[in-house]
Amino acid sequence: GKVSASPDTFIVTVLAQEKSKNTKEGFSLVNNKIAQVKKILTENKIADADIQSTNISINPNYNYDNGKTNIDGFIATHGLTIKIHNLESVDNILSGVSSVENVQIQSTSYDIDDKTTLYKDARDLAIAKAKQKATDIARASGVTLGRILSINESQGYASPIANQYFAKAEAMSADLSWGGISAGQMEINTTVNITYEI
């Protein structure tokens, strides 16, 4: 069974990255970038509960010269996964985040917060189709359907993936226009397998 619905949530992951001479400086620099991103999110009324830190790390940056390996600094990273429930603010947030130097927009996608009713509708369709198919096969085979012996269900959904932006801010125009993000439709799928006694 399959039903379609409009997404109500936009999910974007961003990553701040800075090179530094030592670990303390690296974390300070990258945290400054994250603070700028969070300021943009606050201005667009994104709740703290919808912002999650990811990919926090600091690693040596190696330089290879004449067969020798040297550490010439450190790479600090700090990512955020952001849920945007007001889709009208997506353009502003993407444009604002992309203007922060050394912050990359890594991926974007859509979702529906509560899929309970949609899965129920898809399940009902799947069961109706399964029953009809079983009835048709039984009739064609000259047998009669008995009681149901087992029912198995699997669920899934296909989310429209928005364009993914891997470009760094310095490579983008300051007056960048995203042209209006289109949410499209999501497909909610449920597969039902029913075993009948004959």
Side-chain angles (χ1 to χ4, degrees), residues 16-20 23 25-27 30 57-59 74-78:
Q17 188 173 75
E18 289 283 356
K19 184 178 179 181
S20 60
T23 57
E25 179 188 28
F27 275 125
V30 82
S57 67
I58 187 159
N59 297 295
F74 295 85
I75 302 294
T77 62
H78 187 157

Side-chain angles (χ1 to χ4, degrees), residues 16-47:
Q17 188 173 75
E18 289 283 356
K19 184 178 179 181
S20 60
K21 295 179 180 179
N22 56 63
T23 57
K24 182 178 180 180
E25 179 188 28
F27 275 125
S28 177
L29 290 171
V30 82
N31 286 340
N32 178 265
K33 300 301 181 183
I34 291 298
Q36 293 181 54
V37 172
K38 286 186 175 181
K39 182 175 183 294
I40 293 168
L41 299 178
T42 298
E43 291 171 349
N44 284 274
K45 299 181 180 179
I46 302 299

Side-chain angles (χ1 to χ4, degrees), residues 7-13 81-84 87 90 94 105-112 157-165 181-183 186:
D8 57 17
T9 303
F10 186 88
I11 301 172
V12 56
T13 60
T81 297
I82 305 152
K83 287 186 177 182
I84 304 172
L87 299 186
V90 170
L94 293 181
I105 296 177
Q106 290 198 305
S107 66
T108 58
S109 63
Y110 285 97
D111 199 4
I112 296 173
Y157 66 92
S159 171
I161 305 298
N163 291 333
Q164 300 191 11
Y165 310 100
I181 299 298
S182 300
M186 289 180 62

Side-chain angles (χ1 to χ4, degrees), residues 94-171:
L94 293 181
S95 296
V97 169
S98 69
S99 69
V100 181
E101 187 177 3
N102 291 336
V103 172
Q104 301 176 34
I105 296 177
Q106 290 198 305
S107 66
T108 58
S109 63
Y110 285 97
D111 199 4
I112 296 173
D113 255 0
D114 186 357
K115 305 181 188 70
T116 305
T117 300
L118 296 171
Y119 277 128
K120 179 185 179 302
D121 291 344
R123 183 188 304 113
D124 289 346
L125 285 173
I127 291 174
K129 289 181 180 179
K131 286 181 176 179
Q132 185 60 55
K133 187 172 183 179
T135 300
D136 292 343
I137 292 174
R139 183 182 298 112
S141 303
V143 298
T144 302
L145 291 180
R147 63 191 179 92
I148 294 176
L149 299 177
S150 67
I151 301 177
N152 297 307
E153 177 190 14
S154 61
Q155 298 178 336
Y157 66 92
S159 171
I161 305 298
N163 291 333
Q164 300 191 11
Y165 310 100
F166 293 94
K168 292 185 178 180
E170 58 265 31

